Amino acid sequence: MGLGVDFQTAVRQLAEDVGIELEPESKEAQAKRKKAKELAEANSYTLVFFEHQLWGPGGEEARRYLSERGIPEDFAKKRRLGFGGQTQDLLGYLDAKRIRRDLGASAGFLTADGNRGLFDQRVIFPIFDAQQNLVGFGGRRLGDGDSPKYVN
C-alpha cells in the first residue's frame, strides 16, 4: 500500500489484501473524494506559489513586515508563511500547473469567477487541520487600504 492515499482508499486496499469484500463505493462518494483530492492539490500548489513569492524579490515588503513583528526567518520558513503577490502571477502559475480556476474559487483563494486572487499583496498564513493537511489560508493586508485587514 502506497503512502499518501486517503482513508477510504487505504481501507479498500487493506480489505482487498486480507480478502474482505466491501460494498462498492457510491458514485457520490467517489465524486466527493475526487473533489477533495483536487482541492488539496490546488491548495498545495498555491502554498508553494505563496512561499516562493515571500522569499523572492517581490516579497521584500512582506519580509520587512514579518521582521518588524518579530517573526524570525527560520520560523516563517518552518511554518510555511507566504506572500500573495499579484493576481496575474498567481493565475499564470495555476495555469502552468493545470489547476482549474473553479478549483481555486472552491478552495477560497480566487474570486467566484476565478479571475482574481483573494490574497493579493497579503502576508499568507497557511491553515492546517489536526492531521497537518492544508485546508486553507489566512492573509493579512500590508499597509493601509480600503480592503479588509484580514482575509480567511
Side-chain angles (χ1 to χ4, degrees):
M1 182 174 359
L3 295 174
V5 298
D6 62 71
F7 179 75
Q8 290 297 325
T9 301
V11 167
R12 291 192 175 283
Q13 286 177 350
L14 263 171
E16 185 177 316
D17 290 349
V18 296
I20 297 173
E21 193 171 323
L22 298 177
E23 285 185 31
E25 187 177 31
S26 71
K27 296 276 187 207
E28 295 81 18
Q30 288 176 4
K32 185 177 179 181
R33 191 164 43 83
K34 180 182 178 199
K35 176 79 172 200
K37 183 178 178 183
E38 290 174 338
L39 288 171
E41 183 177 76
N43 274 336
S44 292
Y45 276 117
T46 302
L47 178 56
V48 170
F49 171 83
F50 289 154
E51 288 177 298
H52 179 75
Q53 290 297 300
L54 178 61
W55 303 109
E60 185 176 333
E61 182 182 4
R63 291 191 305 274
R64 186 171 41 254
Y65 170 81
L66 293 172
S67 177
E68 289 169 0
R69 294 292 183 162
I71 299 173
E73 183 177 320
D74 61 333
F75 178 86
K77 286 181 177 179
K78 181 178 178 183
R79 298 293 182 188
R80 302 191 68 189
L81 303 187
F83 177 61
Q86 300 288 335
T87 287
Q88 66 269 17
D89 296 332
L90 174 60
L91 294 178
Y93 174 81
L94 295 173
D95 289 346
K97 296 297 182 185
R98 295 193 169 123
I99 301 296
R100 298 186 331 266
R101 292 186 184 181
D102 64 305
L103 286 175
S106 293
F109 55 81
L110 295 179
T111 55
D113 64 7
N115 291 322
R116 189 175 62 79
L118 295 176
F119 294 97
D120 286 7
Q121 299 303 302
R122 293 177 184 276
V123 173
I124 305 299
F125 302 91
I127 302 168
F128 297 93
D129 66 14
Q131 290 77 39
Q132 295 304 305
N133 298 309
L134 177 63
V135 295
F137 302 98
R140 204 273 188 203
R141 180 188 72 222
L142 295 176
D144 298 326
D146 295 332
S147 64
K149 186 181 275 190
Y150 297 97
V151 173
N152 294 312

